[in-house]
Amino acid sequence: MRIELENVRHVYAPGTPFEVEALRGVSLAIEPEEVLGIVGGTGSGKSTLVQHLNLLLVPTSGRVLVDGADVRTIRGRELRGRVGLVFQFPEAALFAPTVEEDVAFAPRRLGLSEGEVHRRVGETLGLLGASHLAGRSPFALSGGEKRRVAIAGVLAMAPEVLVLDEPTAGLDPATREDLLGVVRALREEGTSVVMVSHDLDEVAEVADRVCVLENGEVRAVGAPEEVFYAHPTTAPSTVRVVRPLRGPHPEVGRPVRFEETLAALKGLLEGRV
Amino acid sequence: MTAGRTLGQFYPVASLLHGLDPRAKILGTAALAVGLFLVDSAAGFLLISAVVVLLVAASRIPPGTFVGFLRPVAFIVALTALFQVFFSREGELLLEWGFVQVHEGGLVRGLFLASRILLLVSTAALLTATTAPVALADGIEDLLSPLKKARFPAHELAMMITIALRFIPTLHEEAQKITRAQAARGADFSEGGPIRRARALLPVLVPLTIGAFRRADELAEAMESRGYRGDEGRTRYRELRFRTRDALVLCAAALVVFAGILL
């Protein structure tokens, strides 16, 4: 599934003193089977952008295309099963008496058989390392556990594209690592993931492509090494360490991920000694 | 990040009405409200309607937005008016269609009732749209402060009102966020009969209620950690000042009400 945004503008509360232009003409494509990282400061339009991907928001002007077809011709319900959107702090929407029930909500709404719902709930909770929580009340869980369950609640629809808005905000490092692992695993299985974050380090670890949003506009989009090495103000710590070394040591290359960077720096040191 | 045009929302522009002392506005609104229950003639309603229209113009709230404030009550107004029209058997018979009869008295009463509710809501909407919630609560506290001698908790009441008003938009926004999150999971709030629709709201109401309790806890802690101990010895950042124009507006409101009743 390929989603394409064409010159999308979005204005909140037009014609009132509260009017805000959140997106000012964004053109961007989400390719099949990729992890796209969307980064940008607060108020850059990240959260507004992702809500256009499953038709929760409709562009004020411009178009959103899914596999070449305008989303306005597709039923919202159908699209929402194919594009799973996990909002910021998704645990705020947990509601069922048990974790199992809560995760089953979305697949049940897709009209699947009880057996299939049960299978998906089990599978998704397993993927997120939350199988042991199935019978518990979602309200009695820790913050990290709630987050896992809430993400499972969307993932259980088996969407073709998973959109995560700040999935790791306020999480402990262990849960954060686990979630990044889930993103990688999904990509292996052929699910596209759009990850919105202002943590550049974590985007650097998982993204195949990076899009930098600023004031509702796309400032840069491309491969992580292209974007991060061209825009030092929006670069993860690995790039900020390596970048100044590139002048005297161009052979260090343009590593972005932690392991790559470590290997490049080791190579540099060993070459010297 | 949504700015709904909800009834009771403050509309922040600079205008003559926005600049008035909240006490003058509260008393003026109260006077108009009492007056509206006593007015019993078409001329009286016309006078008060004209005054309300003038006030809306003076508030510099776009008329379309103001009408939007009234939309939530439109249904109730229409329903009560229709009840009066169809079930009142006073005066001359104007229309008969099967068992439905429309009498002149009913028609007049229905119209009066509709205007009364609409004008009441309009004046209340004007008050809240032109007065910041904090100023409103300060005004209420000040007006009720003589009752403190009789151990009436005026400050606590005002604080509760402030908090309640302050959290209406917050909860509204929270409700929308949760609604969107559940919509992303395939929830549909518009399908099926009333019972199914009410059941569909559960996934929104449960987290909203839990969130409200959590917020209340957090707010109480935040207030205590900033040294809030209630009314005693508490000073104000914004002092209320009752000026000549406030007195004039109040006199004008009283005049309008008297005129409306006499007409």
Side-chain angles (χ1 to χ4, degrees):
Chain A
M1 179 175 196
R2 183 174 191 273
I3 307 179
E4 197 177 348
L5 284 84
E6 268 184 13
N7 206 17
V8 168
R9 269 181 77 243
H10 193 91
V11 182
Y12 284 108
T16 72
F18 308 102
E19 180 174 306
V20 182
E21 188 174 357
L23 295 179
R24 306 164 190 265
V26 169
S27 297
L28 182 69
I30 290 137
E31 306 293 344
E33 297 176 38
E34 73 163 352
V35 177
L36 174 69
I38 298 182
V39 299
T42 357
S44 58
K46 304 187 297 278
S47 298
T48 306
L49 175 65
V50 294
Q51 289 179 53
H52 283 83
L53 301 179
N54 73 346
L55 217 58
L56 278 176
L57 288 180
V58 176
T60 307
S61 70
R63 293 201 301 169
V64 180
L65 305 170
V66 170
D67 290 332
D70 195 311
V71 286
R72 275 174 245 217
T73 63
I74 302 174
R75 282 185 61 214
R77 270 272 288 291
E78 191 215 328
L79 189 64
R80 272 160 217 164
R82 296 177 65 196
V83 182
L85 175 55
V86 180
F87 278 91
Q88 225 168 326
F89 304 111
E91 55 275 21
L94 294 172
F95 72 97
T98 67
V99 165
E100 208 170 6
E101 284 286 302
D102 205 285
V103 177
F105 178 72
R108 225 168 244 158
R109 297 290 310 167
L110 290 181
L112 301 172
S113 69
E114 266 316 288
E116 176 66 10
V117 168
H118 191 74
R119 198 185 62 75
R120 286 217 187 158
V121 169
E123 197 176 283
T124 318
L125 283 176
L127 179 67
L128 281 145
S131 302
H132 59 294
L133 304 172
R136 307 224 347 234
S137 158
F139 305 111
L141 305 178
S142 76
E145 290 168 340
K146 278 185 187 167
R147 184 73 55 88
R148 288 169 196 257
V149 170
I151 293 177
V154 171
L155 206 48
M157 295 190 291
E160 293 163 60
V161 178
L162 180 70
V163 185
L164 299 165
D165 191 355
E166 302 279 3
T168 61
L171 282 190
D172 59 290
T175 311
R176 203 180 103 145
E177 271 314 306
D178 284 358
L179 278 186
L180 295 183
V182 170
V183 170
R184 288 193 198 99
L186 286 172
R187 183 182 171 278
E188 289 305 308
E189 289 171 14
T191 307
S192 308
V193 180
V194 177
M195 187 161 102
V196 174
S197 179
H198 48 225
D199 187 328
L200 297 160
D201 288 333
E202 87 188 13
V203 170
E205 285 308 309
V206 294
D208 299 311
R209 283 196 313 141
V210 176
C211 164
V212 182
L213 273 190
E214 202 177 87
N215 280 326
E217 284 172 275
V218 175
R219 205 175 117 217
V221 59
E225 62 273 15
E226 301 287 344
V227 173
F228 290 146
Y229 278 92
H231 299 88
T233 48
T234 47
S237 40
T238 48
V239 173
R240 283 191 308 212
V241 168
V242 174
R243 205 168 175 273
L245 298 174
R246 277 174 53 80
H249 306 287
E251 71 275 18
V252 72
R254 292 188 298 180
V256 170
R257 293 184 186 179
F258 180 79
E259 294 295 338
E260 291 168 9
T261 311
L262 197 62
L265 292 177
K266 267 189 186 153
L268 202 60
L269 280 173
E270 276 156 16
R272 259 213 192 149
V273 176
Chain B
M1 224 208 305
T2 40
R5 292 170 189 179
T6 34
L7 185 64
Q9 192 183 29
F10 180 49
Y11 194 89
V13 289
S15 83
L16 181 69
L17 280 190
H18 285 75
L20 288 177
D21 186 296
R23 289 168 295 185
K25 282 188 273 188
I26 295 169
L27 290 177
T29 308
L32 280 175
V34 172
L36 275 169
F37 278 102
L38 300 175
V39 171
D40 206 15
S41 69
F45 278 118
L46 275 178
L47 175 72
I48 296 191
S49 308
V51 169
V52 168
V53 168
L54 274 178
L55 288 175
V56 173
S59 72
R60 296 184 47 198
I61 299 168
T65 306
F66 192 81
V67 172
F69 288 151
L70 304 180
R71 202 163 298 146
V73 291
F75 177 71
I76 298 170
V77 171
L79 196 72
T80 39
L82 285 180
F83 259 97
Q84 289 288 338
V85 170
F86 290 126
F87 294 107
S88 187
R89 297 274 148 98
E90 272 173 48
E92 208 179 311
L93 182 67
L94 295 177
L95 199 80
E96 193 168 4
W97 187 63
F99 64 95
V100 180
Q101 295 183 347
V102 176
H103 292 261
E104 193 192 349
L107 197 63
V108 168
R109 268 216 221 157
L111 273 177
F112 277 14
L113 195 68
S115 339
R116 188 167 283 150
I117 302 176
L118 269 183
L119 288 170
L120 263 178
V121 176
S122 301
T123 49
L126 257 180
L127 174 67
T128 51
T130 63
T131 317
V134 182
L136 196 60
D138 281 353
I140 292 170
E141 179 175 355
D142 199 79
L143 288 172
L144 293 179
S145 59
L147 294 174
K148 278 181 192 168
K149 293 212 174 70
R151 293 261 190 103
F152 182 80
H155 170 78
E156 285 73 9
L157 185 73
M159 184 55 88
M160 280 195 280
I161 295 172
T162 313
I163 292 172
L165 288 174
R166 162 65 185 77
F167 276 90
I168 289 171
T170 309
L171 288 176
H172 182 75
E173 201 172 304
E174 177 104 356
Q176 282 192 325
K177 265 191 201 160
I178 296 172
T179 306
R180 263 184 268 145
Q182 307 298 26
R185 295 163 78 188
D188 195 330
F189 306 103
S190 57
E191 108 188 341
I195 295 172
R196 265 191 78 177
R197 264 188 280 173
R199 276 183 64 94
L201 278 179
L202 264 186
V204 174
L205 292 179
V206 171
L208 190 64
T209 313
I210 288 170
F213 276 107
R214 198 199 62 237
R215 263 175 216 287
D217 268 345
E218 285 171 0
L219 181 68
E221 263 172 45
M223 284 169 77
E224 279 182 357
S225 66
R226 284 154 137 210
Y228 178 78
R229 273 176 295 118
D231 187 20
E232 213 116 314
R234 197 170 163 76
T235 54
R236 278 217 188 118
Y237 176 62
R238 274 170 294 260
E239 304 248 310
L240 297 178
R241 224 171 271 140
F242 204 84
R243 279 171 286 208
T244 325
R245 60 175 189 199
D246 299 309
L248 285 177
V249 166
L250 213 48
C251 291
L255 271 178
V256 168
V257 171
F258 276 124
I261 296 169
L262 290 179
L263 273 173

